[in-house]
Amino acid sequence: MTGNISRRSFIKGGIAACAVAASGIPTSASGADKDKQLTTLLDIGKCIGCGACVEACSGVNAGKYPEPKKPFPRMYPDRAKPEDWSDKKDIHDRLTPYNWLYIQSADVTVNGEQKTITIPRRCMHCTNPPCVKLCPWGSAKQLENGISRIDPDLCLGGAKCREVCPWEIPQRQTGIGLYLDILPAFAGNGVMYKCDRCYNRIAEGKLPACVEVCPENVQEMGPRDEIIKKARALAKETNGYIYGENENGGTNTIYVSPVPFETLNKAIETGKGKPHLKSVSDSMGKANNLVAAMAIAPIAGIAAAVGTFYKYSRKDNEAKQDEPKE
Amino acid sequence: MSRKNNVRYLYLLTVFFITLSGFGQMPIFKRYYIADIPGLGWLAKFYITHYIHYICAALLIGFSAYIITGYIMAGRKNSKLTVTGYLRGTLIIGLIATGILLVIRNFEGYIFSHNLIIFLDLSHLALVMLFLFTSLYCLIFKKKWTTK
């Protein structure tokens, strides 16, 4: 049977398969320009914490919120616990599957004056989002304009995205989604939800609801390079501080604050559904640095094989020369 | 221990850890208490399994290049790949090809189409399952990679 597949046909087949795979990439993948991704600038010095953005977010996204089936299927083993927010839809002091944006507040001293700073918090929309890149099923996606969103029809609710997100933004609702049709007792646990930055409104040429309704014009949106320039100019003008430009390798949400973010981070309430304001290193960058090893590996392998081959060939020749001539 | 055996054990160790860390990309080890076993806590840490998967991938690519080059240079007179050898080789090449595309996808700025990502994720998983079943079959029925 070995004769049925020749080495030549095997190599030809392999090359053809690689060519087919490679030819598909340019149509499906692109080296999207980070500088042109849509970025939001939040001048939190202007925010009055009125909550209009939170209300608008709930209003326009209500149709995307989960409607779970109850009772939830029993899950095994018992460690897998249901997460149910369907009876707590009115919670607005943290992120939940029904509240993708909330206002954090921090009591701080600004220029000797006691002040409450309010900060709209939601998904940061990282330029290289670990929630998207590390999702094992491809349920999360990044759009060309930099928006990262979770597809509720594909998500199984394993919550890996929440664990790899430096801010633990996505929130789970049990009793909904694809897992119910597969093995609800043994795999999956619902669907993960987070801000999708009103991707559907942006596709229609509109602004995200939170940006549009803000009475204080706290937020503005534009290409990342322009927003970064504006953020730096604003920080310079107000002696302010920037958050999001370099966090997690860069995000598409840039905060400018009159108070250092270390100070704000100490003053805000953090925890589950309440993201911090710490500085964050590039989550994906460390693994991506290991790719150099992958690039060197085939060269090292070929060199080792060639070295071994010549070593044995030389030994073989020496052995032949040492053989007594008849 | 001969060089051939060294390479074999290193290859098996690499395949073991790349498979384990690969399955660790799914949120299953914590849910099923496997990460609770002393010494296996790292299986529930997604970034750790991600780094280990990348390191093992580099080793697997290196071994594959070593073995393929050695096979080509030695010529078919010395050894021939068996059918199960071709099958396992094809599956490993498929795993490497889909893995490389997923590695590229993980770089900043590389936004693949959603369908391509789903295809890569699922085909990578399907290929490893096929490879494991084929390897199990070869182990049980003592099928070798090559005939001498």
Side-chain angles (χ1 to χ4, degrees):
Chain A
M1 252 184 107
T2 346
N4 291 342
I5 313 164
S6 70
R7 186 173 61 192
R8 181 170 290 182
S9 63
F10 174 69
I11 293 168
K12 272 162 87 177
I15 291 169
C18 290
V20 167
S23 64
I25 302 167
T27 55
S28 314
S30 60
D33 190 353
K34 175 180 171 178
D35 287 342
K36 297 299 162 205
Q37 290 187 355
L38 273 181
T39 301
T40 323
L41 171 63
L42 290 101
D43 179 0
I44 56 176
K46 284 185 186 172
C47 181
I48 54 168
C50 65
C53 53
V54 179
E55 208 174 304
C57 175
S58 296
V60 302
N61 291 311
K64 299 174 192 167
Y65 290 161
E67 289 174 22
K69 288 177 195 162
K70 290 187 184 179
F72 301 138
R74 176 99 196 260
M75 287 181 285
Y76 298 95
D78 286 344
R79 173 172 278 177
K81 303 274 184 233
E83 287 180 35
D84 183 20
W85 293 92
S86 58
D87 298 326
K88 295 174 266 185
K89 292 179 186 169
D90 294 332
I91 288 181
H92 292 299
D93 64 347
R94 58 161 287 172
L95 299 173
T96 77
Y98 299 89
N99 195 53
W100 301 350
L101 165 69
Y102 83 108
I103 308 280
Q104 248 174 356
S105 60
D107 293 323
V108 289
T109 308
V110 184
N111 301 326
E113 191 188 330
Q114 193 71 18
K115 214 175 165 186
T116 299
I117 300 267
T118 48
I119 316 146
R121 296 304 303 275
R122 53 159 173 76
C123 173
M124 300 287 286
H125 295 281
C126 305
T127 54
N128 197 24
C131 59
V132 172
K133 301 293 176 91
L134 298 181
C135 173
W137 309 112
S139 310
K141 52 181 129 181
Q142 187 180 28
L143 310 185
E144 290 278 341
N145 59 13
I147 291 174
S148 59
R149 60 175 290 250
I150 297 166
D151 189 332
D153 295 330
L154 291 175
C155 180
L156 295 174
K160 182 182 178 184
C161 52
R162 180 167 61 194
E163 209 159 319
V164 297
C165 170
W167 294 276
E168 298 178 13
I169 298 286
Q171 299 294 318
R172 175 160 59 193
Q173 174 61 50
T174 301
I176 187 164
L178 190 59
Y179 91 108
L180 293 173
D181 301 325
I182 306 175
L183 284 170
F186 301 104
N189 190 358
V191 171
M192 306 303 295
Y193 291 91
K194 69 170 193 74
C195 159
D196 59 15
R197 221 169 51 180
C198 294
Y199 74 96
N200 46 334
R201 286 174 59 88
I202 287 181
E204 291 166 9
K206 296 177 188 167
L207 282 170
C210 60
V211 179
E212 192 176 78
V213 300
C214 181
E216 301 296 319
N217 296 320
V218 169
Q219 301 191 55
E220 67 174 292
M221 202 171 219
R224 194 169 193 274
D225 53 353
E226 285 176 27
I227 290 293
I228 296 284
K229 270 184 209 163
K230 281 187 181 175
R232 286 179 186 162
L234 180 63
K236 199 176 173 185
E237 185 191 321
T238 59
N239 285 327
Y241 302 84
I242 296 176
Y243 188 78
E245 184 182 353
N246 301 311
E247 274 61 35
N248 200 26
T251 75
N252 286 322
T253 302
I254 310 290
Y255 290 101
V256 176
S257 158
V259 185
F261 284 92
E262 297 83 35
T263 311
L264 282 181
N265 186 55
K266 283 176 194 159
I268 55 171
E269 193 186 332
T270 56
K272 286 183 178 177
K274 297 178 177 183
H276 62 79
L277 282 166
K278 291 178 201 164
S279 94
V280 174
S281 62
D282 185 358
S283 308
M284 296 300 295
K286 289 169 201 157
N288 286 344
N289 289 340
L290 292 172
V291 175
M294 282 187 222
I296 296 164
I299 301 161
I302 291 167
V306 170
T308 309
F309 181 77
Y310 280 111
K311 190 179 151 193
Y312 282 108
S313 301
R314 206 175 59 204
K315 271 189 186 171
D316 208 28
N317 286 340
E318 281 170 5
K320 275 180 190 165
Q321 279 173 4
D322 290 346
E323 275 175 19
K325 286 175 187 169
E326 287 176 15
Chain B
M1 207 189 287
S2 71
R3 176 188 283 264
K4 198 179 169 187
N5 268 343
N6 279 338
V7 172
R8 187 163 178 263
Y9 288 126
L10 275 171
Y11 163 76
L12 289 175
L13 210 61
T14 304
V15 168
F16 175 75
F17 277 104
I18 201 168
T19 309
L20 196 62
S21 58
F23 280 109
Q25 301 310 304
M26 295 183 281
I28 52 173
F29 288 127
K30 191 175 174 185
R31 175 165 177 165
Y32 287 101
Y33 298 92
I34 294 161
D36 289 8
I37 299 168
L40 295 183
W42 59 274
L43 284 172
K45 292 175 180 153
F46 293 119
Y47 282 111
I48 301 288
T49 53
H50 187 51
Y51 302 150
I52 290 172
H53 202 64
Y54 268 36
I55 292 165
C56 291
L59 288 171
L60 186 69
I61 292 169
F63 279 130
S64 303
Y66 176 80
I67 291 162
I68 292 169
T69 311
Y71 180 71
I72 292 167
M73 291 184 81
R76 295 189 73 188
K77 282 176 192 167
N78 290 334
S79 62
K80 273 191 210 169
L81 267 179
T82 59
V83 171
T84 52
Y86 274 114
L87 182 58
R88 280 179 282 176
T90 308
L91 291 171
I92 290 180
I93 288 170
L95 280 163
I96 291 175
T98 50
I100 287 172
L101 291 173
L102 286 167
V103 165
I104 294 169
R105 184 275 314 254
N106 284 348
F107 279 108
E108 184 173 77
Y110 284 85
I111 300 173
F112 285 16
S113 82
H114 198 204
N115 288 341
L116 180 64
I117 293 172
I118 294 167
F119 169 74
L120 290 174
D121 282 335
L122 295 183
S123 58
H124 203 62
L125 180 64
L127 285 165
V128 79
M129 295 303 289
L130 284 171
F131 178 73
L132 289 180
F133 286 128
T134 311
S135 299
L136 191 67
Y137 168 83
C138 294
L139 191 74
I140 293 167
F141 295 101
K142 295 191 169 71
K143 301 282 182 187
K144 296 202 177 297
W145 277 82
T146 54
T147 52
K148 282 197 177 173

